[in-house]
Amino acid sequence: MISSPNDPTARDTGADVYAIILAGGSGTRFWPLSRETHPKQMLQIVGEDSLLRETIKRIHGFVPAKNIWIVTTEDKAQDTRFHIDSLGSLAKEIGFINEPLGRNTAPAVGLAALCLNRLSPASIMVVLPADHAIPDGEKFLRDLKVAVQGAKEDSLVTFGIKPIRPETGYGYIKAARSSKTGSKGLLKVERFFEKPDLKTAKRYLSRGGYFWNSGIFVFKTSQILSEIQTHLPSLYDSLKKMEALLFEPDKPDQPSIPQSAFRNPQLVTLYSRLEPISIDYGIMERSPNILMVPAKFRWSDLGSWAALDEVIEKDRAGNILRGNTVSIGSQNSTVFAGDRLIATIGLKDMVVVDTPDATLVTPKDRVQEVRKIVETLKQGDREEHLIHKTVERPWGSYTVLEKGDRYKIKRVVLKPKAKLSLQLHRRRSEHWVVVSGVAKVTREEEIYLAYTNESTYIPVNTKHRLENPEEVPLQIIEVQNGDYLEEDDIERFADDYGRQ
Amino acid sequence: MISSPNDPTARDTGADVYAIILAGGSGTRFWPLSRETHPKQMLQIVGEDSLLRETIKRIHGFVPAKNIWIVTTEDKAQDTRFHIDSLGSLAKEIGFINEPLGRNTAPAVGLAALCLNRLSPASIMVVLPADHAIPDGEKFLRDLKVAVQGAKEDSLVTFGIKPIRPETGYGYIKAARSSKTGSKGLLKVERFFEKPDLKTAKRYLSRGGYFWNSGIFVFKTSQILSEIQTHLPSLYDSLKKMEALLFEPDKPDQPSIPQSAFRNPQLVTLYSRLEPISIDYGIMERSPNILMVPAKFRWSDLGSWAALDEVIEKDRAGNILRGNTVSIGSQNSTVFAGDRLIATIGLKDMVVVDTPDATLVTPKDRVQEVRKIVETLKQGDREEHLIHKTVERPWGSYTVLEKGDRYKIKRVVLKPKAKLSLQLHRRRSEHWVVVSGVAKVTREEEIYLAYTNESTYIPVNTKHRLENPEEVPLQIIEVQNGDYLEEDDIERFADDYGRQ
């Protein structure tokens, strides 16, 4: 299995089912809650965990952990791994396939099929976006069983969602009224349609037989590779070349690929030259071989802040209010607050989203334009689209409380028994005040403990390490002084998490 | 002169003009920018300085500093003094009259007249609200001269503002078309009208001869006392009793009153029993003796966030955008941001106001309901209506950066040469990290300097003092540890600012 630390031997020749979770999205549309380094799939906006972790837990009811692979891009791989870490032993069995950079879903699925084909040529792939909401997990699994049956019979199977309104933000699938497929619960797909205008969407809704395209697919690995060869021959050629770079030709059953293989410069070049195209457009719309499961589960692709209306329960006035809010006479509005107070009066069909460094205010019918805000921030060389004030790390998290002239203040929280890397800064010194827990401090040759309400000092150019020796979280306030206070002023000498 | 440190002797028997600035307002309507401890008159929302300081500077073009008195309430007196401190020597000459508590404007004017009558029985009072905007200071002074002339001829003189729209938020004055008063530029007032409904306001506007009531008045001190005797006899009786408490009967020319006199328990009781009534309603509407100056200056009482439209220049789309904002396609909207980013899309006639701990979002036509938000916060025993994260002090300011469980982080800024009080905390210790400047630290018997990038520690129950010995500001980060971290855990042993 590729890059999974466990199960290095199995070569399954049976019809094993594998889950391919596509987690490469940037999630601009959920700004300011999503950031470039904290994309939509990492948000907990629906349900009890982040969308990615919910997706993993959901599919884990159907396939073993070692059969789950996450496809993400090289730049997001480390953060994504850290993000799923809270799933414990489950997370450790999950494999990663790293695209050198994002090229839409057809190349991503192709790369995954390439790898999976080596491990289990007779496998069936379930392709799942990491950032969709499916509140009814059990219904989903029942429908999935039907889809797998269809895939076994050499079809490409998709899931159609029964439309409940004339949505213009989704693609549509027209299905045959009755199944002539031989497989129970599956409909023949007549055609895919791109996102329609409102008039067309209304017609689809009134005619019936039209479904929303969920973007969830099931097919044999061998089958999708063959379809790529037919419909996207240029992608297929490139995949073949990549295969030669990723696998040794004389070891056809090579069970795993080191992560570094995805950084092979030739592979990066090949991948960057691929045409960005979606699996929907590149394969599903072109193949005659498509079946559809009319889904019984609720679903939303959470395409924007307005889409929350579909999957979050509203109060009597139609509002969704989260966090520290005081609302007077508002209707059909969504307010996402954190610890800071968001007070609203008489809002109608509005969205307000607050984060520690940025707030968005917009009518629901213009939420799509949040992309323009993000674009403006990028052009202005700012940070509010890039990172959050609180950054998750494998050892815990840090929060930038204030940046000033030649100083920066952070709250640093270490999980029980966690430690930061042994490190050194060339241009800043650090004062640490322990506000809860006990800190174990390494400072050059010294090793000592700092208890709550004690402080210590790390001069510039001094090797140091912060560690939590206890079973309760450690919290310190760090005051940095220096002429350069960015994260890249760090030299690491040893790290529990393999960072350099 | 009452409580003014200078000019302890003068007893002016001529027609001296005095300015009485009413600065007792709480300014709920400008929440979240205004707070109970930082009311509207302390905000810099129009012009280059706070409304109160602008009011002082404006009237100082007409009367000497020693003739300016601020009437405020006991609980706001110290903060108000600190607030005007930045006016330098001008501030030192300004006198304070402290109401024990707010009882609307008639008692405030009565108390001021009582004091002023003792100092200068032949004086003329100009009564000015501290929180109005008058962008044309010179035109105002020209009109003021006209008003003073009227007051000399024993009239109560008010200023009428020519209405430019059918405003329902102001009271109206109906004036005679031509002056029969003998005084040039003054019109006889026929009647005052309470805030009208829209239909009535439109009628006033189309008929002409109606003016907005500005709440600015000029009269002889002796005259207003006599009018109070006639129209508010109960207030007059109480004032007479207060006079006996404030002044020694055998010293008719007693030139000043110590601030403590306003804390006399008998006076507090008398004052708290006064009927809260406005000078407009109690005197101006009842007296036959009223003249009006048709004002040539622009004016706004800044009654709400929506009123800013009258006095702040808007962009082409009718927006007022302040601070860190990104706005896409918004119209006729006001966004007041600070350092945090406020991003807006497609707002129409909305108001968004951001502060470090609270944000308000409301349509312009519902801004008056911000009172309800403040009421909700009060009932919830919260802090967002009470104080700002940054609190001004005579020695500089402090900003609460974070409150956690058993810890609190502050940025403390000391002006050049300023010092905090010699103090002690019973329940918290403090870590100080100097991030700019030099700190002089007193810790029990020790006195030492802490330079930038150095830290020090103040244990619980330890007498200490922080001082800035340099000519540049000092900035420290303070991390407090303890089980109780409120401002009232302080014992002061010595203070440059007379605090206890």
Side-chain angles (χ1 to χ4, degrees):
Chain A
M1 178 169 180
I2 292 166
S3 86
S4 166
N6 300 329
D7 190 34
T9 54
R11 186 174 179 225
D12 188 348
T13 51
D16 252 355
V17 179
Y18 285 75
I20 304 295
I21 298 176
L22 302 179
S26 69
T28 301
R29 290 176 288 187
F30 274 82
W31 185 89
L33 211 56
S34 63
R35 304 285 167 109
E36 220 167 288
T37 59
H38 193 75
K40 182 181 148 202
Q41 58 266 25
M42 294 189 190
L43 302 181
Q44 189 203 329
I45 35 181
V46 185
E48 288 166 13
D49 207 340
S50 77
L51 292 168
L52 171 58
R53 289 190 292 239
E54 290 273 8
T55 302
I56 292 171
K57 288 191 255 182
R58 194 184 303 123
I59 194 65
H60 190 223
F62 197 79
V63 305
K66 67 181 180 60
N67 284 17
I68 301 174
W69 287 6
I70 292 175
V71 182
T72 185
T73 47
E74 177 67 25
D75 61 334
K76 290 193 172 62
Q78 195 180 58
D79 280 344
T80 305
R81 239 188 210 296
F82 294 162
H83 179 77
I84 66 168
D85 213 39
S86 61
L87 295 173
S89 59
L90 170 54
K92 290 188 191 14
E93 296 197 62
I94 291 173
F96 272 74
I97 294 172
N98 298 352
E99 298 178 274
L101 71 176
R103 276 291 175 262
N104 211 332
T105 50
V109 170
L111 184 63
L114 190 71
C115 298
L116 190 48
N117 188 53
R118 198 79 180 190
L119 174 64
S120 173
S123 57
I124 284 173
M125 294 169 69
V126 180
V127 177
L128 301 161
D131 57 359
H132 289 184
I134 298 177
D136 318 308
E138 298 205 358
K139 286 184 187 166
F140 167 71
L141 294 187
R142 279 201 290 276
D143 284 346
L144 187 54
K145 273 185 199 166
V146 176
V148 167
Q149 197 51 45
K152 281 183 180 168
E153 291 162 17
D154 295 328
S155 291
L156 309 183
V157 185
T158 180
F159 294 81
I161 313 292
K162 200 174 159 57
I164 49 175
R165 57 164 193 282
E167 172 65 51
T168 59
Y170 295 146
Y172 283 72
I173 300 170
K174 178 151 178 18
R177 292 267 172 182
S178 65
S179 171
K180 304 268 179 187
T181 66
S183 299
K184 213 178 155 190
L186 287 158
L187 300 179
K188 187 91 188 147
V189 168
E190 285 183 12
R191 224 188 117 182
F192 285 81
F193 296 92
E194 303 278 312
K195 294 172 186 176
D197 58 23
L198 186 62
K199 197 180 146 195
T200 311
K202 282 182 176 167
R203 202 176 60 230
Y204 293 166
L205 199 64
S206 65
R207 283 197 186 163
Y210 289 80
F211 295 81
W212 290 337
N213 180 1
S214 68
I216 305 171
F217 306 109
V218 184
F219 30 63
K220 279 185 184 166
T221 305
S222 55
Q223 179 77 21
I224 191 68
L225 284 170
S226 145
E227 300 275 347
I228 290 173
Q229 188 170 20
T230 306
H231 302 291
L232 297 170
S234 155
L235 172 58
Y236 188 78
D237 288 349
S238 298
L239 287 174
K240 278 289 159 194
K241 287 177 194 159
M242 291 182 208
E243 189 176 26
L245 296 166
L246 286 167
F247 306 98
E248 294 179 39
D250 53 341
K251 288 186 184 170
D253 57 349
Q254 179 184 350
S256 75
I257 312 171
Q259 289 292 303
S260 59
F262 296 106
R263 289 192 287 268
N264 176 320
Q266 285 175 274
L267 185 132
V268 172
T269 304
L270 276 170
Y271 209 88
S272 66
R273 287 184 185 151
L274 295 178
E275 184 194 0
I277 186 169
S278 73
I279 185 85
D280 303 71
Y281 186 71
I283 303 291
M284 304 306 280
E285 299 190 12
R286 297 176 188 184
S287 170
N289 198 19
I290 316 281
L291 297 182
M292 189 200 85
V293 179
K296 294 185 185 64
F297 54 87
R298 274 189 303 152
W299 167 92
S300 169
D301 83 338
L302 299 176
S304 73
W305 280 108
L308 291 184
D309 287 3
E310 299 160 14
V311 279
I312 297 185
E313 205 160 330
K314 288 167 269 189
D315 67 18
R316 277 189 186 183
N319 300 312
I320 298 171
L321 304 174
R322 278 262 192 109
N324 188 0
T325 62
V326 171
S327 170
I328 291 179
S330 293
Q331 290 168 32
N332 298 316
S333 293
T334 297
V335 182
F336 256 64
D339 292 337
R340 296 176 65 254
L341 172 65
I342 302 292
T344 58
I345 302 169
L347 298 189
K348 271 188 190 168
D349 302 308
M350 297 283 294
V351 171
V352 181
V353 184
D354 187 51
T355 64
D357 60 346
T359 305
L360 171 71
V361 184
T362 172
K364 272 188 191 171
D365 61 6
R366 297 190 68 172
V367 287
Q368 298 291 353
E369 292 176 55
V370 69
R371 290 163 181 277
K372 294 184 194 168
I373 300 277
V374 172
E375 204 41 54
T376 305
L377 297 174
K378 266 186 198 168
Q379 282 165 9
D381 203 18
R382 300 179 56 151
E383 272 196 344
E384 291 95 338
H385 64 290
L386 210 56
I387 51 166
H388 269 300
K389 287 209 159 190
T390 295
V391 177
E392 286 179 37
R393 283 285 175 255
W395 42 258
S397 68
Y398 70 80
T399 303
V400 177
L401 299 175
E402 185 164 79
K403 272 185 206 176
D405 181 30
R406 294 180 57 92
Y407 76 90
K408 193 191 229 176
I409 309 169
K410 281 183 180 178
R411 175 168 30 79
V412 180
V413 183
L414 272 74
K415 296 174 189 170
K417 300 288 181 188
K419 60 170 95 162
L420 273 70
S421 58
L422 180 65
Q423 56 188 238
L424 172 151
H425 311 294
R426 294 270 172 220
R427 293 170 71 176
R428 68 173 184 257
S429 56
E430 295 178 346
H431 293 263
W432 295 344
V433 180
V434 179
V435 293
S436 66
V438 178
K440 184 174 163 190
V441 180
T442 304
R443 189 171 63 181
E444 293 289 353
E445 303 309 311
E446 298 171 89
I447 295 179
Y448 54 92
L449 296 179
Y451 293 89
T452 298
N453 194 23
E454 291 184 350
S455 70
T456 191
Y457 175 61
I458 310 294
V460 71
N461 281 322
T462 304
K463 254 192 217 181
H464 62 278
R465 179 168 222 162
L466 177 64
E467 192 174 339
N468 179 0
E470 300 289 320
E471 292 289 357
V472 293
L474 161 66
Q475 233 183 149
I476 70 157
I477 305 304
E478 173 178 285
V479 182
Q480 306 176 351
N481 282 275
D483 62 350
Y484 182 82
L485 302 167
E486 299 307 314
E487 293 305 316
D488 57 359
D489 174 17
I490 187 164
E491 276 176 51
R492 289 199 177 95
F493 302 95
D495 185 29
D496 283 9
Y497 313 99
R499 295 170 301 173
Q500 288 172 327
Chain B
M1 176 171 181
I2 289 165
S3 85
S4 166
N6 300 331
D7 190 33
T9 54
R11 185 175 181 224
D12 187 349
T13 50
D16 251 353
V17 179
Y18 285 74
I20 303 295
I21 298 176
L22 303 178
S26 67
T28 301
R29 288 176 290 186
F30 274 82
W31 186 88
L33 212 56
S34 63
R35 304 286 167 109
E36 218 167 290
T37 59
H38 194 75
K40 181 178 148 205
Q41 57 268 25
M42 294 190 190
L43 301 182
Q44 189 203 327
I45 33 180
V46 185
E48 287 164 14
D49 208 341
S50 77
L51 291 167
L52 171 58
R53 291 191 291 238
E54 291 272 8
T55 302
I56 292 170
K57 288 190 257 183
R58 194 183 304 123
I59 194 65
H60 189 223
F62 196 79
V63 306
K66 67 180 181 59
N67 282 19
I68 300 174
W69 288 5
I70 292 174
V71 182
T72 186
T73 48
E74 177 67 23
D75 61 335
K76 291 191 173 60
Q78 194 181 58
D79 279 344
T80 306
R81 238 186 212 296
F82 294 160
H83 178 78
I84 65 168
D85 213 39
S86 61
L87 295 173
S89 59
L90 169 54
K92 293 189 187 14
E93 296 198 60
I94 292 173
F96 272 76
I97 294 172
N98 299 351
E99 298 177 273
L101 71 177
R103 275 293 175 262
N104 210 335
T105 51
V109 170
L111 183 64
L114 191 71
C115 298
L116 190 48
N117 189 51
R118 200 78 180 193
L119 175 63
S120 172
S123 57
I124 285 173
M125 294 168 68
V126 180
V127 177
L128 301 162
D131 58 358
H132 288 184
I134 298 177
D136 320 307
E138 298 204 356
K139 287 184 185 166
F140 167 72
L141 294 186
R142 280 201 292 276
D143 284 346
L144 187 54
K145 273 184 197 165
V146 176
V148 166
Q149 198 49 46
K152 282 184 179 167
E153 291 161 17
D154 294 329
S155 290
L156 310 184
V157 185
T158 180
F159 293 81
I161 312 292
K162 198 173 160 56
I164 50 173
R165 57 163 193 280
E167 171 66 52
T168 59
Y170 296 145
Y172 283 72
I173 301 170
K174 180 156 179 11
R177 293 268 173 180
S178 63
S179 172
K180 305 270 181 186
T181 65
S183 300
K184 213 180 155 191
L186 287 158
L187 300 178
K188 186 89 188 149
V189 168
E190 286 184 10
R191 223 190 117 183
F192 284 81
F193 297 92
E194 305 277 313
K195 295 174 185 173
D197 59 23
L198 186 63
K199 197 180 147 193
T200 311
K202 282 182 176 169
R203 201 174 62 232
Y204 293 167
L205 200 64
S206 64
R207 281 193 188 167
Y210 289 80
F211 295 81
W212 290 337
N213 180 3
S214 68
I216 305 170
F217 306 110
V218 184
F219 30 63
K220 280 185 182 165
T221 305
S222 57
Q223 180 76 23
I224 191 67
L225 283 169
S226 146
E227 299 276 349
I228 290 173
Q229 189 170 19
T230 307
H231 302 291
L232 297 171
S234 154
L235 172 60
Y236 189 80
D237 288 350
S238 298
L239 288 173
K240 278 287 160 197
K241 288 177 192 156
M242 291 182 209
E243 189 175 27
L245 296 167
L246 286 168
F247 306 96
E248 295 179 37
D250 54 343
K251 290 187 184 172
D253 57 352
Q254 178 184 350
S256 75
I257 312 171
Q259 288 293 304
S260 60
F262 296 107
R263 290 192 285 266
N264 178 319
Q266 284 176 274
L267 185 132
V268 172
T269 304
L270 276 170
Y271 209 89
S272 66
R273 287 183 185 154
L274 294 179
E275 185 194 359
I277 187 170
S278 74
I279 185 84
D280 304 73
Y281 186 72
I283 303 292
M284 304 306 282
E285 299 190 13
R286 298 175 187 184
S287 170
N289 197 20
I290 316 282
L291 297 182
M292 188 200 84
V293 180
K296 292 184 186 64
F297 53 87
R298 274 188 304 153
W299 167 93
S300 170
D301 82 339
L302 298 177
S304 73
W305 281 109
L308 291 184
D309 287 1
E310 298 161 14
V311 280
I312 297 186
E313 204 160 328
K314 286 169 270 188
D315 68 18
R316 278 188 186 184
N319 300 311
I320 297 171
L321 304 175
R322 277 262 193 109
N324 187 1
T325 62
V326 171
S327 170
I328 290 179
S330 292
Q331 291 168 33
N332 298 314
S333 294
T334 297
V335 182
F336 257 63
D339 292 337
R340 296 176 65 256
L341 171 64
I342 302 293
T344 58
I345 302 169
L347 299 188
K348 271 187 189 170
D349 302 307
M350 298 283 295
V351 172
V352 181
V353 183
D354 186 53
T355 65
D357 61 345
T359 305
L360 172 70
V361 184
T362 172
K364 272 188 189 169
D365 60 7
R366 296 189 69 171
V367 287
Q368 298 292 353
E369 293 176 55
V370 70
R371 291 162 181 278
K372 293 185 195 167
I373 300 277
V374 173
E375 204 40 56
T376 304
L377 296 174
K378 265 186 198 166
Q379 283 166 8
D381 202 17
R382 301 180 54 150
E383 273 198 343
E384 290 95 336
H385 65 289
L386 209 56
I387 52 166
H388 270 299
K389 286 210 156 188
T390 295
V391 177
E392 285 178 38
R393 284 286 175 256
W395 43 259
S397 68
Y398 70 80
T399 303
V400 177
L401 299 176
E402 184 163 82
K403 274 185 203 173
D405 180 32
R406 296 180 57 92
Y407 76 92
K408 193 190 227 176
I409 310 168
K410 280 183 180 177
R411 175 168 30 81
V412 181
V413 182
L414 272 76
K415 296 174 187 169
K417 300 287 181 192
K419 58 171 96 161
L420 274 69
S421 58
L422 180 65
Q423 57 189 240
L424 173 152
H425 311 294
R426 294 269 173 221
R427 292 170 71 177
R428 69 172 183 258
S429 55
E430 295 177 345
H431 292 265
W432 295 344
V433 181
V434 179
V435 292
S436 67
V438 178
K440 184 175 164 188
V441 180
T442 305
R443 188 170 65 181
E444 293 291 353
E445 304 308 312
E446 298 170 271
I447 296 180
Y448 53 94
L449 296 178
Y451 293 89
T452 299
N453 193 24
E454 291 184 350
S455 70
T456 190
Y457 175 63
I458 310 294
V460 71
N461 280 321
T462 304
K463 253 192 218 181
H464 62 277
R465 180 167 222 164
L466 177 63
E467 193 173 340
N468 179 1
E470 301 289 321
E471 292 290 358
V472 293
L474 162 66
Q475 231 182 149
I476 70 157
I477 305 303
E478 174 177 286
V479 182
Q480 306 177 352
N481 281 274
D483 62 349
Y484 182 81
L485 302 167
E486 299 306 316
E487 293 304 315
D488 57 0
D489 174 18
I490 187 165
E491 275 176 52
R492 289 200 178 93
F493 303 95
D495 184 28
D496 282 10
Y497 313 98
R499 295 169 304 173
Q500 287 173 330

